[in-house]
DNA sequence: TTTTATTGATTGATCAGTCAATCAAAAATA
DNA sequence: TATTTTTGATTGACTGATCAATCAATAAAA
């Protein structure tokens, strides 16, 4: 049913389909056919709109990080004090959809892809920097600037680490436990500076 | 120059070659030809000894984890007190060869692969459990058992997280800084329980 | 002579990417 | 309003490349 103005609809459908396929597949080694089938269109159409598989995958990473960013921005708005903002950031990182098995699988795949794709790495670096600077900005209100950088580094590492370990599915850590571990890290380190 | 008794030699050469190729490639999407060429033999020989590409890759993961394990065992022997043993474990995780870019790339590739390959996941789960239980065993001498589990979980997450972030190459954290962050985590958490 | 090591050549499958053709809506024209 | 032209959407069929896996043949030890 060829109507006009399908482009944005198809692009979104294909990116969403890619996320889903990457998710269950657990890797970026997916075929255009799979993605197209999942989106309910022909592989040729996917090429028509994205030019190449690589471009589609890059766009998928971009959209994924964009969504996460939006969540953070929203969450930060509702929080008032710096300490509340720190908690809000942590909560977003572990909120349900981010912690879903397919999402984690996709994250891992993206990280692995970043070793090869310059553009994927660029996106992930931006994400990593933003997380770090969000943390630092709020930590600075609670401790000396030097300590803020160090604590932020540790907290970011812990968040990423909890992700990767969750992805393994060995130690089934709950969302709440993950949040608690990260909160604990912040609280104790901030306290130790006061004392 | 066909001599007898080449099997173990070739197997080792192929596994080492696989690690190297996976390392610079930054992914498990490598060809048997690449690996074989790196090992200086024909692709057919790689199939002869390993049966399939999957088997060769699985063996590569296994050997990789085995080596890490040996390092830990050695390091634990030289340490005496529980606190020293904890430091020894951390040091091994971040020792030079583990922190080399190609090694980190290989690790990431393995984690991603674990989403698909049951056997790879099994190996990584064993590694994760061993790290956790090594930490717990020594922490128990320094704090209540319940806290030991929690702190070990956090430390393990931090180690894995520092890895993954190092792999991104965004924030070039030094080996020493990574060790310091993890040590700090343990020290402060242990202290906070005493106080 | 039997066994082990080794490879070149080949096969079959998979896949990204291309292209020409089709179909239907929209726009232009009569 | 009716008819024609244009344009965007869409696909089936095809191509060329890549690659895992196989196998028959060779060469050197035992």
């Amino acid at each position: 049913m060829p109507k006009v103005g399908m482009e944005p609809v198809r692009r979104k459908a294909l990116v969403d389909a890619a996320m889903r396929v990457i998710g269950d597949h657990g890797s970026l080694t997916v075929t255009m056919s799979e993605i197209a089938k999942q989106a309910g269109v022909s592989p040729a159409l996917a090429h028509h709109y994205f030019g190449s598989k690589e471009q589609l995958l890059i766009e998928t990473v971009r959209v994924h990080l964009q969504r996460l960013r939006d969540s953070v921005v929203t969450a930060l708005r509702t929080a008032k004090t710096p300490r509340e903002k720190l908690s809000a950031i942590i909560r977003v990182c572990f909120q349900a959809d981010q912690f879903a098995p397919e999402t984690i699988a996709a994250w891992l795949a993206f990280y692995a892809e970043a070793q090869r794709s310059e553009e994927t790495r660029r996106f992930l670096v931006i994400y990593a920097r933003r997380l770090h600077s969000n943390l630092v900005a709020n930590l600075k209100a609670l401790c000396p600037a030097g300590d803020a950088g160090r604590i932020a580094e540790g907290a970011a590492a812990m968040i990423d680490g909890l992700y990767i370990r969750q992805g393994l599915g060995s130690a089934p850590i709950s969302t709440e436990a993950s949040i608690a571990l990260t909160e604990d890290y912040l609280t104790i380190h901030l306290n130790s500076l006061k004392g």
Side-chain angles (χ1 to χ4, degrees), chain A:
Chain A
M1 44 328 267
K3 270 181 242 169
V4 114
M6 292 306 284
E7 177 155 356
V9 176
R10 295 305 189 206
R11 290 186 86 98
K12 182 174 185 315
L14 283 163
V15 165
D16 287 348
M19 263 305 283
R20 247 171 295 142
V21 173
I22 292 167
D24 0 289
H25 217 274
S27 130
L28 286 201
T29 307
V30 295
T31 68
M32 285 298 250
S33 303
E34 284 174 288
I35 297 173
K37 183 189 253 185
Q38 178 69 223
V41 299
S42 77
L45 195 66
H47 274 100
H48 174 66
Y49 284 127
F50 287 93
S52 74
K53 179 179 159 182
E54 171 143 38
Q55 277 310 114
L56 170 51
L57 294 184
I58 285 172
E59 179 67 9
T60 304
V61 178
R62 203 188 61 71
V63 168
H64 182 63
L65 294 177
Q66 180 66 50
R67 284 178 189 161
L68 181 56
R69 184 194 175 174
D70 292 345
S71 299
V72 172
V73 170
T74 304
L76 281 178
R77 250 202 296 272
T78 66
K80 281 164 214 94
T81 68
R83 189 62 186 80
E84 279 171 8
K85 282 179 198 278
L86 288 171
S87 292
I89 294 169
I90 293 171
R91 221 177 310 115
V92 168
C93 288
F94 295 111
Q95 76 197 0
D97 57 325
Q98 285 298 319
F99 227 51
E102 323 84 47
T103 310
I104 290 178
W107 267 106
L108 273 172
F110 292 157
Y111 267 100
E113 177 70 4
Q115 303 293 313
R116 281 189 296 156
S117 156
E118 180 57 45
E119 205 147 1
T120 300
R121 179 162 52 245
R122 253 190 46 225
F123 287 137
L124 287 180
V125 166
I126 289 172
Y127 150 78
R129 291 232 178 95
R130 190 151 46 216
L131 174 56
H132 187 266
S133 83
N134 273 333
L135 291 171
V136 167
N138 291 291
L139 280 167
K140 271 184 178 164
L142 302 166
C143 69
D147 293 312
R150 198 171 40 82
I151 295 177
E153 201 60 61
M158 177 158 290
I159 290 170
D160 285 359
L162 286 168
Y163 254 77
I164 203 177
R165 292 178 77 80
Q166 184 71 7
L168 259 191
S170 63
I173 322 169
S174 70
T175 303
E176 297 77 36
S178 296
I179 292 177
L181 272 173
T182 314
E183 284 283 348
D184 238 42
Y185 175 82
L186 287 183
T187 305
I188 291 186
H189 276 253
L190 286 171
N191 279 342
S192 87
L193 289 173
K194 274 191 270 180

